[in-house]
Amino acid sequence: MSDAAETDRTPVEDADLCIVGAGPAGGIVAHRLAATGARVVVLEAGPRFDGDRRDQLDRHVRPGLGDPWEMGGPRDEFTSSGGSFYPLNASRVKGVGGSTLHWQGMVMRLHERDFELASRHGVGVDWPISYDDLKPHYAAAERELGVAGAVDNPYAPPRDEPYPLPAFPPSHSDSIFAEACERLGIDMHSVPNARNSEPYDGRSSCVGYGTCKPVCPSGAKYTAESHVEKAESAGAHVIDHARVRRLEHDESGERVVAARYTTPDGETHRQEADQFVLACGGVENVRLLLLSASAAYPDGLANSSGVVGRYFMDHLFAGMGGRLDRPTRQNHVGFNTSETHQFYDDTDPVNGLKLEFLNYAGPSPVVDALHADTWGDELRTQLADAYGTHIAMGALVEQLPREDNYVTLDSETTDDLGDPVPEVHWAVDDETKAALTRANEIQASVLDELGVDIDWTVGPENTGPAFHHMGTTRMGDDPDSSVVDAECRTHDLQNLWIAGSSVFPTGGAMNPTLTIAALSVRIAESLQQRIE
Amino acid sequence: MRLTRRDALTVLAGLGIGGGGAVAVDRFDPPTAERQPTGVGDDGDFSTDVLPTMVAAAAVVYPSEATGVSEFVETYVLGRTTEEDRTEAMRAAVTELDSVARDWYDVPFSDLSTEERDSLLRELGVDTADPVPDGTISERIRFHVVNELLYAFYASPTGGRLVGIENPIGHPGGVESYQRETMETPATEEGREDE
């Protein structure tokens, strides 16, 4: 890790662009703009995790060593309220690379219907852009991330080109599922993975560590570290351990003029720039805007609409599994190779859902061994009995935007710098629960067809979030009901942009990072026109 | 089943330490002859004080069919000494374990019978202790002795095969095994007992 105390973290003079956050959104924008010759500075609250990934691998597999990415503690205090607990710090990483450091790496395009839910089905809200508007940026994003996939999904939205990398072949357990799915008329297809199936972009192909989430020691899994590195090679300045606490605007209230950040030595600095991009996630984007309230913006910067923080959404997990009477060969790799999107566009319920055929069902012997309360022959027998025949399905289910799911500031609780912490007020509504039930019904039909002895279910009563923070600075044409416009520029301030899933008006049921990357490419194009 | 020095080097390579693994990995430094784990420099005490106790503990925590334990454990533990803090913590935990053996049985841990070692560890509560690198004596022995040994064993393809998986988590065993219907037995496996 970088030396927190001795690195020069003073502001960069004459910056064209200041980006807050060095995850995939910030990294892609930084690289693209730096490559055009713009003077770019990126302020990242967390550290650089330099060097190899031995420490993170150790922390992940060996109990007793703490979080691999060092989340938690006074810096990361938060409050969870509402009907459902939200485990915020398990769901994000602060550091160069952002949450791609710990993500699994599934990268699907949203469907056409996701951009038109209100028009088509009378629920949620339409995006101010269509799938066709974003289609070329999706293709660019797939190249940026290095997506391994196959054009074998009959339910995917239209595309004009193959994936940059070939898909990973199906697993043995996929072939087991295929027997049942064929009898049930369920179509299986490959999973687009941001993971190298062959060497790409200077990174290794996957070597099967099986620890994708939360760490890929080989570097085969895309992390935004690669874009940050490219941005720095192109001349961008990346300052880690730079916790941005306020954005300051000019007298007119029309432009942001500076980002104030505090460094580990206790100093507070002021980074000026012509343009600013917020790219620190669906929770911290909100927090920073609300912390930056002023006389001109008493309810928070860029919050004339009053919807900053509102409409917080996540995807909900549904799952089911059990054991078969034959080997299922699980936990060799940490990613999936088959899904079905056959039910995604169904309308009863209208919430999107996608189904996953897991390659990591049941226990891993080495992990179980390290938690066992015995050893020797007894342990060997336990592990052999526990491993080998588990099989399971997962699903992501869409949660529609609701005003009463929101992120705000908890003025009663402060972090170690004295700033109010984020409060996530969130609950799972009945419509989402109905969609979870539907996902469970399909899962049960497949597992029953296989003759699986089902021994666990995650459904409406015990579901949890998939750690995709969406909706809190929603995109729209109407400044009274949205925070950013179709270009992802705030309605209120002409040089403040927001990149990331916080701008999603609806979230679909697809993992969001490819759409984050596509929007970031689009933002970079808009910024390029203004900075030239 | 016979454990070998190569098995230990494979586990170490998975951790980015030294070489000898079958798979070259970009992020970790590539294996080179110069970076083979060779020991702990001039500190001969480690070999005489720590290794015998670790080997003796392995005889308890490993399944009884495991052979070649001494060479496997010595190679793995010496390879682990690339991390100074971890090495010192392991040395301290091993020293305390040995001190308990001397207090309770008047002999070094490694001179106890396998049954006595097993009993001592359980009486210390190591079997049910949380693994905590800087915790109580039981927690530290669990982390630095028992779990270190169990990780080396079950993260190795040879140890994994014993419980049904040739590409365990933590081992960069490639992307073919997940596609196979049955567990692959390497050609060299046959006759290993005779190596």
Side-chain angles (χ1 to χ4, degrees):
Chain A
M1 216 182 311
S2 55
D3 189 316
E6 296 179 5
T7 304
D8 177 12
R9 294 186 170 84
T10 55
V12 173
E13 292 185 6
D14 301 322
D16 296 309
L17 172 62
C18 173
I19 299 169
V20 184
I28 287 171
V29 175
H31 173 226
R32 290 210 160 210
L33 269 295
T36 68
R39 194 164 170 81
V40 177
V41 58
V42 182
L43 303 174
E44 167 54 50
R48 291 176 194 267
F49 293 96
D50 288 339
D52 64 35
R53 291 290 179 254
R54 185 189 311 173
D55 186 48
Q56 284 78 25
L57 178 62
D58 224 14
R59 284 169 178 258
H60 169 53
V61 180
R62 295 282 302 271
L65 288 171
D67 185 89
W69 302 108
E70 302 171 14
M71 285 300 298
R75 182 194 66 181
D76 305 321
E77 289 282 342
F78 71 98
T79 299
S80 175
S81 60
S84 308
F85 176 74
Y86 198 91
L88 183 60
N89 285 335
S91 72
R92 57 181 184 167
V93 175
K94 293 181 183 177
V96 171
S99 293
T100 58
L101 292 169
H102 80 162
W103 75 326
Q104 182 168 317
M106 288 194 272
V107 274
M108 300 83 175
R109 300 182 182 194
L110 288 172
H111 282 198
E112 291 153 298
R113 54 82 84 175
D114 290 320
F115 297 85
E116 306 165 359
L117 266 191
S119 298
R120 290 196 188 196
H121 303 302
V123 297
V125 62
D126 287 352
W127 290 47
I129 58 175
S130 67
Y131 174 78
D132 283 343
D133 292 329
L134 204 55
K135 191 165 73 165
H137 303 100
Y138 269 132
E142 287 167 350
R143 291 190 295 273
E144 293 283 352
L145 272 55
V147 178
V151 187
D152 64 348
N153 178 355
Y155 306 99
R159 55 182 302 121
D160 299 327
E161 62 291 296
Y163 287 95
L165 295 167
F168 286 90
S171 64
H172 172 63
S173 59
D174 289 340
S175 71
I176 295 174
F177 277 117
E179 302 166 14
C181 286
E182 185 171 352
R183 290 195 292 271
L184 293 170
I186 294 174
D187 296 316
M188 297 172 66
H189 49 78
S190 62
V191 178
N193 274 290
R195 175 178 290 100
N196 288 355
S197 56
E198 55 189 39
Y200 183 83
D201 204 21
R203 293 182 286 115
S204 157
S205 56
C206 176
V207 295
Y209 265 98
T211 58
C212 311
K213 194 170 69 176
V215 56
C216 173
S218 73
K221 180 182 79 172
Y222 168 84
T223 77
E225 292 166 292
S226 65
H227 276 108
V228 173
E229 188 177 325
K230 290 179 196 173
E232 290 185 288
S233 295
H237 299 264
V238 179
I239 304 175
D240 70 348
H241 290 289
R243 295 168 62 181
V244 179
R245 302 170 64 191
R246 302 291 187 278
L247 297 177
E248 298 176 358
H249 60 72
D250 62 8
E251 287 188 12
S252 70
E254 294 177 353
R255 296 182 67 84
V256 175
V257 294
R260 294 182 71 86
Y261 63 96
T262 298
T263 48
D265 56 8
E267 293 294 318
T268 295
H269 305 276
R270 193 168 176 277
Q271 176 65 57
E272 298 180 351
D274 295 332
Q275 303 285 336
F276 288 82
V277 173
L278 279 194
C280 41
V283 173
E284 295 295 337
N285 281 348
V286 171
R287 185 187 185 206
L288 182 53
L289 291 173
L290 298 182
L291 284 172
S292 303
S294 66
Y297 296 100
D299 297 323
L301 195 64
N303 194 23
S304 296
S305 64
V307 301
V308 166
R310 295 282 171 185
Y311 306 109
F312 176 71
M313 300 174 284
D314 204 324
H315 298 131
L316 280 304
F317 180 78
M320 191 174 290
R323 301 188 74 161
L324 264 179
D325 57 358
R326 48 183 158 154
T328 53
R329 308 281 292 160
Q330 298 292 285
N331 283 309
H332 290 244
V333 291
F335 59 93
N336 297 323
T337 40
S338 291
E339 290 193 334
T340 181
H341 298 171
Q342 183 169 334
F343 306 94
Y344 191 90
D345 290 355
D346 286 358
T347 55
D348 185 23
V350 71
N351 305 56
L353 69 88
K354 66 150 186 161
L355 291 150
E356 305 163 337
F357 303 95
L358 303 186
N359 285 335
Y360 36 79
S364 152
V366 62
V367 172
D368 268 14
L370 301 177
H371 289 87
D373 59 3
T374 190
W375 45 61
D377 290 337
E378 188 177 26
L379 174 61
R380 175 231 199 272
T381 301
Q382 280 184 14
L383 298 177
D385 288 346
Y387 176 76
T389 57
H390 288 269
I391 193 162
M393 294 179 68
L396 290 191
V397 165
E398 177 174 21
Q399 180 174 39
L400 293 168
R402 297 170 61 95
E403 193 172 8
D404 55 356
N405 283 333
Y406 57 84
V407 175
T408 188
L409 298 178
D410 176 3
S411 57
E412 303 296 313
T413 310
T414 55
D415 66 11
D416 54 339
L417 296 179
D419 291 324
V421 305
E423 174 182 346
V424 180
H425 185 96
W426 179 71
V428 181
D429 53 277
D430 290 342
E431 290 76 15
T432 304
K433 289 182 177 178
L436 289 162
T437 298
R438 174 67 179 140
N440 282 159
E441 289 169 356
I442 302 167
Q443 291 165 338
S445 71
V446 174
L447 296 176
D448 285 346
E449 183 69 23
L450 279 174
V452 172
D453 182 12
I454 295 170
D455 57 21
W456 65 270
T457 300
V458 173
E461 302 311 316
N462 59 347
T463 186
F467 300 163
H468 304 148
H469 307 152
M470 302 175 289
T472 48
T473 63
R474 61 182 2 193
M475 183 196 302
D477 290 326
D478 181 2
D480 291 332
S481 60
S482 58
V483 179
V484 300
D485 62 17
E487 287 189 293
C488 296
R489 186 171 62 150
T490 61
H491 292 297
D492 288 345
L493 294 114
Q494 59 187 256
N495 69 338
L496 179 60
W497 308 69
I498 301 181
S501 50
S502 65
V503 306
F504 292 8
T506 57
M510 297 299 181
N511 307 61
T513 301
L514 188 71
T515 304
I516 292 172
L519 289 171
S520 300
V521 170
R522 200 162 175 270
I523 290 168
E525 291 175 357
S526 298
L527 275 167
Q528 192 176 337
Q529 294 171 5
R530 284 168 173 79
I531 290 177
E532 279 176 346
Chain B
M1 45 80 69
R2 181 173 177 77
L3 294 164
T4 65
R5 179 174 181 272
R6 182 180 173 190
D7 290 323
L9 292 174
T10 299
V11 178
L12 292 168
L15 289 165
I17 301 169
V23 181
V25 177
D26 277 7
R27 185 179 288 280
F28 288 149
D29 293 340
T32 65
E34 290 71 25
R35 297 188 69 252
Q36 295 276 346
T38 55
V40 285
D42 298 328
D43 188 354
D45 290 342
F46 194 86
S47 296
T48 55
D49 295 348
V50 176
L51 290 182
T53 304
M54 290 297 280
V55 170
V60 174
V61 303
Y62 287 178
S64 56
E65 62 250 72
T67 61
V69 171
S70 293
E71 184 182 43
F72 175 81
V73 170
E74 288 171 4
T75 305
Y76 176 79
V77 171
L78 288 173
R80 267 302 207 176
T81 59
T82 55
E83 300 165 72
E84 189 175 341
D85 291 348
R86 191 78 160 259
T87 302
E88 289 311 309
M90 180 193 290
R91 183 203 300 273
V94 164
T95 301
E96 287 188 77
L97 175 60
D98 199 53
S99 296
V100 172
R102 292 172 192 272
D103 285 348
W104 291 5
Y105 294 91
D106 292 325
V107 294
F109 183 80
S110 55
D111 284 358
L112 296 175
S113 69
T114 305
E115 291 73 23
E116 287 171 328
R117 289 177 226 151
D118 181 88
S119 174
L120 184 151
L121 288 167
R122 291 182 191 276
E123 286 178 50
L124 273 174
V126 176
D127 51 343
T128 56
D130 290 331
V132 182
D134 55 356
T136 65
I137 180 173
S138 302
E139 293 168 338
R140 283 184 284 116
I141 291 171
R142 175 73 198 210
F143 185 92
H144 293 290
V145 178
V146 171
N147 272 12
E148 199 71 71
L149 292 166
L150 289 175
Y151 180 82
F153 187 85
Y154 287 109
S156 76
T158 302
R161 279 191 190 91
L162 201 60
V163 290
I165 183 168
E166 72 275 37
N167 184 18
I169 279 179
H171 171 62
V175 290
E176 290 78 33
S177 69
Y178 81 88
Q179 303 173 51
R180 292 188 204 113
E181 183 176 2
T182 57
M183 186 165 62
E184 182 189 50
T185 303
T188 54
E189 187 72 11
E190 194 173 334
R192 262 193 158 198
E193 290 292 346
D194 301 326
E195 283 180 8

